């Protein structure tokens, strides 16, 4: 075994580093969109998809849901605050 066999890699070998960076950028945009939402009317995953598409980032709704969960952002129904 060489030293590289025990090294921790930030990006798995089967993922292009550019792809990992763009996934991180997409997750950052999701966090920003949720942070800017109206607490009385939180954004649905579909609405977040539309916001990202307007910025040139095209993701499926289920991918937005996955990234939202990775960022520990609850679903719309749990983010809604009574006003």
């Amino acid at each position: 075994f060489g030293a590289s066999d025990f090294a921790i890699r930030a990006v798995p070998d089967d993922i292009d580093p550019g792809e990992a960076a763009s996934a991180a950028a997409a997750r950052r945009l999701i966090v920003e969109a949720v942070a800017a939402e109206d607490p009385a009317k939180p954004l649905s995953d579909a609405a977040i998809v539309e916001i990202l598409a307007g910025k040139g980032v095209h993701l499926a709704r289920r991918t937005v849901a996955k990234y939202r969960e990775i960022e520990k952002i609850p679903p719309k129904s749990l983010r809604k605050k009574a006003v």
Side-chain angles (χ1 to χ4, degrees), residues 18-43:
E19 183 179 332
S22 61
R27 291 194 341 244
R28 187 178 65 250
L29 289 172
I30 292 168
V31 169
E32 291 171 2
V34 171
E37 73 186 2
D38 178 356
K41 296 181 90 181
L43 298 167

Side-chain angles (χ1 to χ4, degrees), residues 30 44-50 52 58-69 75:
I30 292 168
S44 66
D45 292 340
I48 294 170
V49 166
E50 291 178 18
L52 295 181
H58 301 283
L59 297 174
R61 186 211 45 83
R62 65 185 176 273
T63 304
V64 168
K66 176 177 135 183
Y67 288 170
R68 180 180 45 71
E69 289 175 4

Side-chain angles (χ1 to χ4, degrees), residues 10-26:
V11 179
D13 289 334
D14 60 339
I15 296 179
D16 175 36
E19 183 179 332
S22 61

